[in-house]
Amino acid sequence: MSEHRRKPPPPQGGGRAAARRGQSEPSSGRRAAPRGATGSLSDSYGSSSYGSDSGSGGEERPYGGRAEARRAAQRSTGNGRRRAADNGSRGPGGPAGPGRGRGRASTAPGKKRLIDYPRANRFGWHRWVPSWKLVSGLCITFFGSLVALVGVSYAMVTIPSENDAARSQNNVYYWSNGDQMVATGTGANRQNVTIDQIPEAMQNAVISAENKSFYSDSGVDPMGIARALVNMARGGETQGGSTITQQFVKNTYLSQDQTVSRKFKEMFISIKVGTKLSKQQILQGYLNTSYFGRGAYGIQAAAQTYYGVDAKYLKPSQCAVLAALLKGATYYDPAGNPDIDSTATQKANYQRSHDRWAWILEEMHKDQHLTDAQYQEAIKKYPMPQGRKAIKGMTGQISYLADTAKKYVLAHSNITETQFDQGGFQIYTTFQKDKVNALSAAVEKVQKARLDPKNRDKDKYVQFGAASVVPNDGAIVALYGGAGYENNHFTNNADTSGVPVGSTWKPFVLAAAMQYGTYKTDGVGVSPLSKYNGNDHLKVLNEDGTAVLNKDGSTFFQNNESNYRWGYITLRKAMEQSINTPFVQLGWDVGMSHVRDVASRSGILDSSFATLNPSFALGTSTPSAIRMADAYATFAASGRHADPYSVTEVKQDGQDLQGFSKPKVTTAMPENIANNVTDTLENVIQNGTGTNAKALGRTAAGKTGTTDSNKSAWFVGYTQQLATSVAMFRENPKDAELLSMNGTAGVASIHGGDIPTSVWTEYMKAALKGKNDPGFPQATKVGDIADEAGAPSPTPSVSITPSETPSETPSPTPSETVTAPSPTATETCQFAWNCSANGGTTGGSTSGTTSSPTATDTTGTGTTRGNANGGGNLFGGSSG
């Protein structure tokens, strides 16, 4: 038998452990390494004797075979410092004997880790699977920390009081020079009341509408909080509290930061409120801190604001209306809030309020808060709240200035209306006090001189809206919004939509033609000296020569204001006399989408655009006075545009808020195209429908505009320093419907060249007093002459009739040949770019009467003439 298979002799002197202890080197004090720990094959295949005279001191027990030896060697080389407990000596006592324990202890190298991860005694993917001890330890630590955090947070938060929320601050507005304009706040419009002074109907109305489980829930809606946190994580808006308790807590927060930490703090406070306060106390606090719109915080202020009574006298039907406001006063106040949101009109808000009022009463009935008899009495008639009232200091134009600035702040920040109305903001505006006063004085002066509402019914309900903007900057320096809140006029006419702009739209058509050309010019711009047919009652032709049709399939005809036969005239002349038919056909040839794009880049909002039909060229769109002034400022700035702005800086607690930097200037159109539009509009003032503006006594350009049925009249004009728009219209105060101004001011009809131009001139005189007159940049030739199909070829001779036109055209404008297509003096300017029209004579009547062929600044569509032959509004739309 080979030696390595021979049975070893019995141990001497106490077994293997004793032998191991006895053979250790006294000089080193180190314990013997187990076999395989050094990585040497000799460790596995050495001498079979138990002792060794090498002094290493380790007993050697043969392995079960070569395979086991190889595995030991691999473990040794692959894991380095790994403890090899299994290589320890096994004594006669077996695995449970004392020799096993001491063997393990003697072979453990390195320091024991607090967290054994990755696991040292596992291999491959097993190293990364945590032990149950580690998992359970981490879970206990996490939940223990969470409980501690919740406990500390709960202990630290305090229960809010409705009295804390009553300490809202003023918002202070400043003029452009830094002087204070007005300080307005909500602190004075709040008075806390006790629960016994709040009718049970009001308490039950909010419970039925907002939180049916109020008396039984814990005050916190975990799912609602989870939704809010998820929404915040996605970058969206946080949702409001789902319970009345949570909403009460939110109402008392003067800091409205939309953060996760604030949401958690709100949750802890809600929990504490639910355990410390009675339901009656919570309901009282909620109704004393809720915002009901119109600057009214709390039920007492709301009762006085909407119904003029103390809260305790509110009827169930009135309570339902006030409860509906809690869903959002901007959209549920029946008086409307179009200055905050264009969709919050009086009509739309009334319908929303009425529907929710009826629903709340029904829910109160279902919840047995109203008997059958009480419900039938309450649902009989909607209790219309009283109208708005002026807040202290918010009178005259100040109310509209503050309204415009507030709207700008809300649109350019994350501040909500409720947060803004809680106060504490300093708003620095672009408004210049002297110019605001000058604009208001101009309106009042012309009104007093021309209108007599006490003795003329047609002078009743006449309104004005105006705005003044700095070209190449966008700053709104002045506006006129109406008669003032103190006169029950709460709509800001300077920033309202719904009033068609008429022929003041034609410059955008001309600019689009000069930039894009027509379908016949292959993208080459059209010169303003191109000729189009200016006669009345003309078909509008498609590219293939077919006529544009109405909805019913009949031929569409475009009308002018008068039936004067202009013949083929230049676009420059058509602009001068504001003739409709050339611009409708020109817009159709260019493409109304191009016209819209030019207007949009110039500053007109997409929401105000009308349908892209032929009448679109004549101003059926309804931009505000601010936007029209800003768009014309683009022409004044040689094609450079900046969005209008009214706020330069907003501060809260002394800190600047972001989002109020000056708008960037962009290029809306090529410089020379804008300069050519200006050159054409200068001629409108010098020789056309805007001659009243010559009284300004300085270089200016502008355009008149009057709409179908004489429902509105505009003048928009500018110098290099200032662009100003003035709108005039009549409006039924009951339904906000526009009324005809035929007969207003004692004349047959009002034109843009009449009263609006007079207001513009009076204001611009004062606003530019002492300023220099820089004129405008010189316009150079642009585009090619591209006459409408059928226009005559140019002839070398020009016949000018020095006498006045025939009797059917009482304007002093020199007559153009009616039967022959010979060009007038205006058309000869193609070889002398800036020569005056009509040989330098003044053309265009300023009388504003419909019999004058020169006062053709109306859109002309929808008139009574020609309807039998298919004329009138295209596709049944409004001509504006």
Side-chain angles (χ1 to χ4, degrees):
M1 180 180 292
S2 62
E3 187 175 279
H4 72 274
R5 301 283 292 175
R6 188 180 299 123
K7 181 177 181 181
Q12 300 294 324
R16 296 177 182 175
R20 198 162 50 245
R21 289 192 300 271
Q23 295 179 19
S24 299
E25 287 186 5
S27 60
S28 64
R30 297 176 60 185
R31 294 173 181 171
R35 197 165 20 237
T38 66
S40 171
L41 292 177
S42 66
D43 290 338
S44 300
Y45 294 94
S47 171
S48 61
S49 62
Y50 293 98
S52 174
D53 54 4
S54 65
S56 60
E59 77 161 319
E60 298 184 11
R61 180 174 179 271
Y63 289 93
R66 295 182 180 179
E68 184 177 351
R70 280 197 303 272
R71 287 194 294 272
Q74 290 169 357
R75 287 194 296 271
S76 174
T77 57
N79 295 285
R81 296 167 61 102
R82 181 176 58 86
R83 290 190 299 269
D86 289 341
N87 289 346
S89 172
R90 298 176 184 267
R100 173 177 173 83
R102 287 192 294 270
R104 285 177 178 270
S106 67
T107 61
K111 186 182 294 183
K112 185 176 181 181
R113 293 183 296 172
L114 178 63
I115 299 177
D116 184 22
Y117 191 81
R119 300 176 71 181
N121 60 342
R122 294 291 185 270
F123 312 100
W125 62 271
H126 294 283
R127 283 169 53 82
W128 305 100
V129 178
S131 66
W132 68 270
K133 293 182 179 179
L134 179 61
V135 173
S136 59
L138 289 176
C139 288
I140 292 172
T141 301
F142 172 76
F143 286 110
S145 300
L146 185 61
V147 170
L149 177 63
V150 170
V152 171
S153 300
Y154 181 82
M156 290 180 64
V157 298
T158 58
I159 297 177
S161 167
E162 60 261 40
N163 293 318
D164 296 334
R167 294 197 298 266
S168 56
Q169 306 173 58
N170 283 334
N171 286 326
V172 183
Y173 297 84
Y174 297 90
W175 296 103
S176 62
N177 65 357
D179 292 343
Q180 182 172 313
M181 178 196 303
V182 66
T184 177
T186 58
N189 197 17
R190 170 188 268 138
Q191 180 183 350
N192 292 338
V193 292
T194 57
I195 194 68
D196 60 297
Q197 295 176 295
I198 303 173
E200 287 190 10
M202 188 68 222
Q203 301 176 41
N204 294 329
V206 297
I207 291 172
S208 292
E210 305 286 331
N211 186 191
K212 286 179 179 291
S213 62
F214 171 69
Y215 283 110
S216 60
D217 63 37
S218 63
V220 177
D221 178 13
M223 293 303 296
I225 294 174
R227 285 194 302 270
L229 294 175
V230 170
N231 208 27
M232 279 191 289
R234 293 176 177 175
E237 295 182 358
T238 58
Q239 300 174 0
S242 299
T243 69
I244 285 177
T245 303
Q246 286 176 261
Q247 292 181 59
F248 163 52
V249 170
K250 186 175 181 180
N251 289 344
T252 56
Y253 262 107
L254 295 182
S255 172
Q256 295 291 330
D257 296 333
Q258 301 296 331
T259 61
V260 173
S261 61
R262 189 197 66 77
K263 198 69 182 176
F264 271 113
K265 190 174 181 181
E266 179 184 308
M267 177 184 68
F268 291 133
I269 294 177
S270 298
I271 295 173
K272 199 165 191 176
V273 166
T275 59
K276 299 293 185 181
L277 298 183
S278 69
K279 291 294 184 177
Q280 290 288 286
Q281 289 173 311
I282 294 172
L283 190 58
Q284 172 185 300
Y286 172 63
L287 288 171
N288 275 330
T289 59
S290 293
Y291 183 59
F292 290 86
R294 300 191 191 180
Y297 279 85
I299 185 60
Q300 175 65 14
Q304 287 288 348
T305 299
Y306 287 90
Y307 291 108
V309 299
D310 287 336
K312 61 183 178 181
Y313 297 118
L314 289 171
K315 299 176 181 178
S317 186
Q318 295 171 328
C319 292
V321 173
L322 296 181
L325 291 168
L326 296 175
K327 189 171 179 64
T330 298
Y331 304 99
Y332 288 86
D333 182 351
N337 284 284
D339 294 330
I340 300 298
D341 190 324
S342 59
T343 64
T345 63
Q346 184 176 359
K347 182 177 180 180
N349 275 23
Y350 170 79
Q351 190 61 51
R352 279 189 285 259
S353 176
H354 182 278
D355 292 347
R356 188 162 178 81
W357 162 78
W359 175 80
I360 290 174
L361 289 176
E362 184 178 357
E363 292 300 305
M364 293 173 69
H365 184 226
K366 287 180 182 178
D367 297 338
Q368 298 183 353
H369 296 314
L370 291 177
T371 65
D372 292 344
Q374 289 172 328
Y375 172 71
Q376 293 300 327
E377 178 65 25
I379 202 70
K380 273 184 181 180
K381 184 180 180 182
Y382 176 85
M384 179 63 74
Q386 61 189 15
R388 295 176 181 268
K389 295 179 181 179
I391 301 172
K392 182 180 179 181
M394 299 287 279
T395 57
Q397 296 309 301
I398 297 296
S399 53
Y400 307 116
L401 299 176
D403 169 75
T404 302
K406 173 183 175 180
K407 188 175 180 181
Y408 188 88
V409 170
L410 298 182
H412 291 79
S413 69
N414 294 324
I415 302 169
T416 66
E417 184 182 9
T418 301
Q419 293 164 12
F420 186 87
D421 286 344
Q422 283 180 330
F425 297 96
Q426 296 83 49
I427 303 99
Y428 295 84
T429 75
T430 59
F431 304 126
Q432 298 179 18
K433 186 175 182 179
D434 59 338
K435 291 182 173 58
V436 170
N437 291 340
L439 185 54
S440 179
V443 173
E444 292 171 4
K445 179 179 178 179
V446 174
Q447 275 183 317
K448 186 176 181 180
R450 300 294 304 275
L451 302 178
D452 186 7
K454 292 183 178 179
N455 298 311
R456 279 196 298 259
D457 287 342
K458 288 290 185 175
D459 289 2
K460 292 179 180 178
Y461 312 135
V462 173
Q463 298 183 32
F464 291 86
S468 197
V469 173
V470 177
N472 212 29
D473 182 273
I476 307 170
V477 296
L479 57 80
Y480 182 87
Y485 284 14
E486 69 275 19
N487 293 312
N488 295 320
H489 185 88
F490 296 95
T491 301
N492 185 352
N493 291 345
D495 196 22
T496 188
S497 59
V499 182
V501 296
S503 290
T504 57
W505 197 258
K506 290 173 182 174
F508 301 123
V509 181
L510 180 61
M514 289 191 287
Q515 182 169 355
Y516 296 106
T518 67
Y519 69 90
K520 297 183 292 185
T521 65
D522 295 326
V524 178
V526 171
S527 167
L529 298 179
S530 303
K531 296 185 182 69
Y532 270 69
N533 194 339
N535 288 339
D536 183 40
H537 197 60
L538 296 180
K539 296 178 183 178
V540 179
L541 301 179
N542 295 308
E543 293 182 21
D544 59 4
T546 60
V548 174
L549 303 178
N550 287 304
K551 260 183 170 182
D552 60 2
S554 60
T555 301
F556 172 79
F557 286 86
Q558 179 58 55
N559 297 318
N560 294 325
E561 184 180 6
S562 77
N563 60 1
Y564 180 71
R565 295 182 59 81
W566 290 98
Y568 285 90
I569 56 175
T570 65
L571 298 173
R572 180 183 175 87
K573 181 69 175 179
M575 185 75 75
E576 172 195 300
Q577 299 298 327
S578 199
I579 304 169
N580 294 331
T581 49
F583 284 100
V584 172
Q585 187 62 61
L586 176 67
W588 206 244
D589 292 348
V590 171
M592 294 300 179
S593 60
H594 285 318
V595 177
R596 177 196 59 202
D597 292 344
V598 167
S600 178
R601 291 196 302 269
S602 299
I604 303 300
L605 296 177
D606 292 346
S607 59
S608 63
F609 287 133
T611 304
L612 298 185
N613 56 35
S615 297
F616 182 76
L618 301 178
T620 54
S621 298
T622 59
S624 67
I626 291 175
R627 284 289 170 173
M628 283 302 288
D630 181 65
Y632 270 52
T634 303
F635 299 136
S638 296
R640 293 182 296 275
H641 170 256
D643 280 333
Y645 68 102
S646 58
V647 175
T648 59
E649 186 180 12
V650 177
K651 292 184 178 182
Q652 184 181 32
D653 298 326
Q655 300 296 317
D656 287 334
L657 302 185
Q658 299 299 312
F660 301 101
S661 57
K662 184 183 296 187
K664 294 181 179 179
V665 177
T666 60
T667 300
M669 66 187 71
E671 180 178 339
N672 195 41
I673 289 176
N675 291 342
N676 270 272
V677 171
T678 294
D679 181 75
T680 304
L681 298 186
E682 280 188 86
N683 186 55
V684 171
I685 290 179
Q686 291 301 314
N687 304 298
T689 57
T691 53
N692 274 346
K694 287 203 296 183
L696 178 61
R698 62 172 64 228
T699 306
K703 183 69 186 76
T704 58
T706 310
T707 57
D708 184 38
S709 300
N710 205 205
K711 291 182 178 180
S712 63
W714 289 73
F715 184 78
V716 189
Y718 54 92
T719 65
Q720 274 209 62
Q721 300 106 318
L722 215 54
T724 303
S725 64
V726 178
M728 176 182 176
F729 56 94
R730 289 182 70 218
E731 186 176 68
N732 188 329
K734 293 183 179 180
D735 55 15
E737 181 183 356
L738 292 180
L739 304 172
S740 174
M741 290 190 292
N742 289 334
T744 296
V747 297
S749 63
I750 298 294
H751 292 83
D754 189 8
I755 292 179
T757 303
S758 297
V759 172
W760 181 90
T761 306
E762 285 291 330
Y763 162 70
M764 293 291 276
K765 280 181 181 179
L768 298 174
K769 186 177 182 180
K771 306 288 185 182
N772 65 337
D773 183 3
F776 294 111
Q778 185 71 26
T780 59
K781 184 178 182 299
V782 64
D784 293 340
I785 294 178
D787 296 339
E788 182 184 10
S793 300
T795 57
S797 61
V798 178
S799 174
I800 302 176
T801 305
S803 62
E804 292 186 352
T805 56
S807 59
E808 75 270 16
T809 59
S811 168
T813 307
S815 173
E816 291 188 28
T817 305
V818 175
T819 57
S822 300
T824 66
T826 303
E827 281 88 46
T828 65
C829 286
Q830 59 183 303
F831 301 109
W833 190 255
N834 288 304
C835 62
S836 62
N838 299 324
T841 60
T842 300
S845 170
T846 60
S847 66
T849 60
T850 56
S851 60
S852 170
T854 61
T856 52
D857 52 285
T858 76
T859 60
T861 56
T863 58
T864 56
R865 289 182 301 101
N867 287 347
N869 294 318
N873 298 336
L874 181 68
F875 309 135
S878 171
S879 67

